[in-house]
């Protein structure tokens, strides 16, 4: 019964192969059936109760010898078990495959090289190198000659801690006169890249050309991706370019995206430009937002304004809502090459697209126009040109020019810029007045400060914490400083928490003139959650004589508040 079942099952398998071959012949293509497709367990099938008539379809003559060869091969016991092994392995049933091996042993069936290779495949799937090595030794002991596939499976069974045995495996291959081919090096290199051992992977990659071999697509992709992930962006780009120059195959888009991200993260300008063109314009890939932001950072650092604008377009294509952190790098890139007019126009662009931004967004512009007064005047001239061309001017563009004048201690030029803002149809905001008040503090110009505060209220602009902080400090620059308490109390009545700088400035003034109200100011400072710094404590204890040994160093490190 078992023999009959096996024969019938094999007939069914051969019948399927025959029909598949006829179909392939009809469309002019050749198809091959794998061993797993031919695998049939004779114990799992009963005898068929239907046999197709022999005259239903006559076999082509060119298939008869194929059918005879398949029948002869499949009827050998070891071939049947090899098919079962392949079937179980193809479906991930490693334990079942090892059970087949035990059945072969129990039945006294001598394994061949295919059987041993299947067992080695099972060891490779479970990463069992010692067991795989034992299988190879048993194979050689019974006189079965290994082939290239034997050693490939042996290499695949190595764990990341056992890769040092690869040279020994290659020497064993050499003793059996088996030369490594492209797949051999693919296995070796991918194993090293999986373990992040790039140097060894490159060492074996260099052996391919002298051996007359070329890296496979998998080999190239693995080593390029590893180099990119480890931060070797230049190496990754060189490897990718070299592979595509010498091979008819092309790397997948994902590999090029990895190279692009690596180049952008390392701020490699040339590599970022090349890979961006490759990914976006040649392969028509759309990178995600994270990749785009990295590219924007590189563009900002190296002044690649065209690249930055291209990235902004891609962000829109992938439906990302533009934000300040997307546009700020564009402005920085423009300022890198003194493209001041275009940078100033970006503020109106941001306002029209409902992108929230602050004066800090204009910091790159401030850096290039705060060098001298000529640069400030040039920036004002650019605003006039923009206005004459019919473009709207954002108040931040006005404020950055005022800020630059204040940083040059040119209060007159700053006030003149503020007064001329009406010619450009620009309405000042709270930042405009706060910047001017800072200039008044530095110049100790109390009268101008009071006038600016009045104009601010006339314009319907509500003072903020910074406004009151600067009015308090302005009052403290005068010999009559009682108004400082007025503005402090008004600030608190509006629910604002006075910043530390307000209390420190007030305490220092009171200690300097010997006003004992400094004790009340110290108590309020603590009530607001601030601590008395060692410098301030030293200043109070000394009656304003000194601030401790580190005072000069600490003073030098304090930023100027704008």
């Amino acid at each position: 019964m078992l023999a009959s079942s096996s024969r019938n099952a094999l007939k069914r398998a051969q019948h399927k192969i025959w029909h598949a071959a006829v179909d392939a012949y009809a469309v002019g293509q050749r198809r091959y059936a794998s061993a797993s497709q031919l695998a049939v367990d004779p114990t799992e099938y009963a005898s068929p109760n239907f046999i197709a008539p022999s005259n239903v379809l006559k076999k082509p003559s060119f298939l008869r010898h194929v059918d005879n060869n398949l029948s002869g091969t499949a009827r050998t016991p070891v071939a049947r078990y090899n098919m079962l092994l392949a079937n179980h392995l193809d479906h991930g049933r490693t334990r079942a495959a090892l059970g087949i091996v035990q059945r072969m042993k129990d039945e006294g069936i001598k394994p061949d090289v295919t059987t041993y290779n299947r067992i080695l495949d099972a060891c490779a799937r479970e990463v069992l190198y010692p067991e795989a090595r034992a299988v190879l030794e048993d194979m050689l002991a019974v006189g079965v000659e290994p082939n290239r596939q034997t050693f490939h499976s042996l290499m695949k069974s190595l764990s990341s801690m056992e890769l040092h045995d690869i040279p020994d495996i290659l020497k064993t291959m050499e003793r059996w006169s088996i030369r490594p081919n492209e797949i051999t090096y693919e296995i070796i290199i991918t194993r090293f890249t999986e373990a992040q051992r790039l140097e060894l992977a490159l060492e074996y990659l260099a052996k391919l050309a002298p051996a007359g071999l070329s890296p496979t697509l998998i080999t190239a992709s693995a080593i390029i991706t590893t180099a990119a992930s480890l931060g070797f962006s230049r190496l990754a780009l060189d490897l990718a370019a070299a592979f595509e120059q010498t091979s008819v195959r092309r790397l997948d888009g994902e590999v090029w995206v990895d190279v692009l991200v690596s180049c952008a993260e390392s701020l490699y300008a040339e590599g970022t430009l090349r890979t961006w063109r490759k990914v976006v314009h040649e392969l028509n890939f759309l990178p995600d937002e994270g990749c785009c932001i990295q590219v924007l950072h590189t563009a900002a650092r190296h002044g690649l304004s065209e690249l930055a604008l291209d990235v902004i377009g891609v962000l829109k294509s992938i439906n990302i809502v533009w934000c300040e952190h997307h546009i700020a790098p564009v402005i920085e890139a423009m300022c890198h090459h003194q493209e001041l007019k275009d940078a100033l126009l970006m503020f109106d662009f941001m306002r029209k697209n409902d992108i929230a931004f602050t004066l800090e967004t204009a910091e790159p512009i401030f850096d290039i126009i705060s060098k001298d007064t000529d640069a400030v005047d040039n920036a004002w001239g650019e605003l006039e040109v923009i206005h004459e061309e019919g473009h709207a001017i954002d108040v931040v563009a006005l404020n950055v020019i005022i800020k630059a004048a204040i940083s040059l201690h040119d209060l007159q030029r700053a006030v003149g810029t503020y007064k001329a803002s009406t010619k450009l149809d620009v309405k000042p905001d709270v930042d405009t007045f706060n910047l001017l008040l800072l200039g008044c503090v530095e110049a100790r110009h109390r009268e101008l400060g009071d006038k600016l505060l009045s104009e601010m209220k006339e314009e319907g602009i509500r003072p903020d914490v910074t406004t009151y902080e600067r009015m308090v400090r302005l009052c403290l620059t005068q010999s009559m400083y009682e108004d400082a308490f007025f503005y402090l109390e008004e600030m608190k009545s509006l629910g604002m928490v006075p910043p530390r700088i307000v209390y420190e400035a007030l305490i220092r003034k009171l200690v300097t003139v010997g006003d004992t109200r400094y004790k009340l100011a110290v108590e309020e400072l603590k009530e607001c959650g601030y601590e008395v710094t060692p410098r301030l404590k030293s200043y109070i204890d000394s009656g304003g004589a000194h601030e401790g040994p580190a005072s000069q160093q600490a003073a030098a490190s304090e930023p100027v508040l704008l």
Side-chain angles (χ1 to χ4, degrees), residues 513-535:
V513 299
D515 192 330
T516 57
R517 286 181 292 180
Y518 78 86
K519 297 180 180 179
L520 296 175
V522 170
E523 291 179 3
E524 283 195 20
L525 180 145
K526 294 179 179 179
E527 289 175 0
C528 290
Y530 304 125
E531 294 182 358
V532 179
T533 63
R535 289 183 58 217

Side-chain angles (χ1 to χ4, degrees), residues 326-395:
H326 296 140
I327 310 300
V330 180
I331 297 174
E332 184 177 349
M334 292 175 173
C335 292
H336 193 276
H337 293 296
Q338 306 295 318
E339 300 172 10
L340 182 58
K341 179 182 175 182
D342 293 333
L344 292 170
L345 282 169
M346 290 303 297
F347 296 119
D348 182 54
F349 169 81
M350 296 173 73
R351 194 73 70 183
K352 288 180 179 178
N353 287 277
D354 297 324
I355 302 173
F357 60 98
T358 64
L359 186 59
E360 293 180 355
T361 310
E363 196 67 23
I365 299 177
F366 171 77
D367 291 338
I368 64 173
I369 69 174
S370 60
K371 297 177 181 177
D372 51 48
T373 54
D374 290 339
V376 176
D377 293 340
N378 179 60
W380 176 258
E382 294 290 356
L383 287 186
E384 290 180 328
V385 172
I386 292 172
H387 182 261
E388 291 172 0
E389 292 178 353
H391 298 292
I393 298 175
D394 194 86
V395 66

Side-chain angles (χ1 to χ4, degrees), residues 32-169:
Y32 297 87
S34 67
S36 62
Q37 291 173 313
L38 297 176
V40 180
D41 189 347
T43 63
E44 295 179 358
Y45 295 93
S47 299
N49 54 17
F50 172 77
I51 299 177
S54 60
N55 59 352
V56 172
L57 182 64
K58 194 171 184 180
K59 298 182 183 180
S61 60
F62 73 93
L63 288 175
R64 291 174 185 168
H65 70 281
V66 176
D67 183 36
N68 292 334
N69 290 339
L70 286 171
S71 299
T73 302
R75 288 188 181 126
T76 62
V78 66
R80 290 199 300 271
Y81 278 111
N82 287 342
M83 291 177 187
L84 289 172
L85 282 172
N87 182 47
H88 286 306
L89 291 175
D90 286 348
H91 291 84
R93 299 192 292 264
T94 307
R95 291 183 178 274
L98 296 178
I100 295 297
V101 175
Q102 183 62 43
R103 284 169 56 184
M104 292 179 66
K105 182 178 179 181
D106 294 342
E107 295 178 14
I109 298 174
K110 183 179 179 181
D112 59 7
V113 65
T114 303
T115 310
Y116 279 107
N117 285 345
R118 295 284 184 265
I119 299 173
L120 288 170
D121 285 342
C123 293
R125 291 172 184 269
E126 302 297 328
V127 195
L128 301 172
Y129 176 64
E131 288 78 1
R133 195 79 191 185
V135 170
L136 176 62
E137 293 174 358
D138 183 78
M139 178 181 184
L140 300 178
V142 298
V144 177
E145 184 174 341
N147 57 20
R148 187 179 285 111
Q149 180 61 39
T150 305
F151 294 101
H152 287 178
S153 299
L154 189 61
M155 291 177 183
K156 291 178 182 179
S157 68
L158 291 165
S159 69
S160 59
M161 302 299 294
E162 297 167 331
L163 296 178
H164 54 81
D165 278 358
I166 286 181
D168 293 337
I169 298 175

Side-chain angles (χ1 to χ4, degrees), residues 298-312:
T298 303
R301 174 68 65 88
H302 297 280
L304 306 175
S305 56
E306 292 184 2
L307 173 61
L309 290 171
D310 196 11
V311 176
I312 295 300

Side-chain angles (χ1 to χ4, degrees), residues 206-379:
K207 295 179 179 181
L208 281 166
L213 303 174
S214 300
T216 65
L217 181 61
I218 295 176
T219 302
S221 300
I223 200 166
I224 291 168
T225 302
T226 302
S229 65
L230 293 176
F232 298 101
S233 55
R234 293 174 185 267
L235 174 62
L237 179 57
D238 291 342
L239 290 171
F243 177 78
E244 293 206 341
Q245 287 174 0
T246 58
S247 175
V248 296
R249 300 293 300 275
R250 290 294 174 262
L251 296 168
D252 292 337
E254 290 81 359
V255 177
W256 278 107
V257 171
D258 290 339
V259 178
L260 171 60
V261 171
S262 180
C263 290
E265 287 180 345
S266 60
L267 302 176
Y268 176 28
E270 180 185 354
T272 302
L273 274 172
R274 288 175 58 187
T275 51
W276 178 265
R277 285 195 292 264
K278 180 73 176 181
V279 170
V280 176
H281 298 293
E282 294 183 24
L283 300 177
N284 295 321
F285 263 65
L286 292 177
D288 59 19
E289 183 184 9
C291 177
C292 289
I293 290 176
Q294 292 292 347
V295 174
L296 283 172
H297 290 166
T298 303
R301 174 68 65 88
H302 297 280
L304 306 175
S305 56
E306 292 184 2
L307 173 61
L309 290 171
D310 196 11
V311 176
I312 295 300
V314 170
L315 286 171
K316 186 176 182 180
S317 300
I318 59 177
N319 299 320
I320 298 297
V321 178
W322 286 331
C323 298
E324 188 270 346
H325 61 270
H326 296 140
I327 310 300
V330 180
I331 297 174
E332 184 177 349
M334 292 175 173
C335 292
H336 193 276
H337 293 296
Q338 306 295 318
E339 300 172 10
L340 182 58
K341 179 182 175 182
D342 293 333
L344 292 170
L345 282 169
M346 290 303 297
F347 296 119
D348 182 54
F349 169 81
M350 296 173 73
R351 194 73 70 183
K352 288 180 179 178
N353 287 277
D354 297 324
I355 302 173
F357 60 98
T358 64
L359 186 59
E360 293 180 355
T361 310
E363 196 67 23
I365 299 177
F366 171 77
D367 291 338
I368 64 173
I369 69 174
S370 60
K371 297 177 181 177
D372 51 48
T373 54
D374 290 339
V376 176
D377 293 340
N378 179 60

Side-chain angles (χ1 to χ4, degrees), residues 9-20 52 57 59 67:
L10 286 171
K11 285 181 180 179
R12 289 198 301 274
Q14 293 163 12
H15 190 65
K16 293 179 181 179
I17 297 169
W18 171 39
H19 279 291
L57 182 64
K59 298 182 183 180
D67 183 36

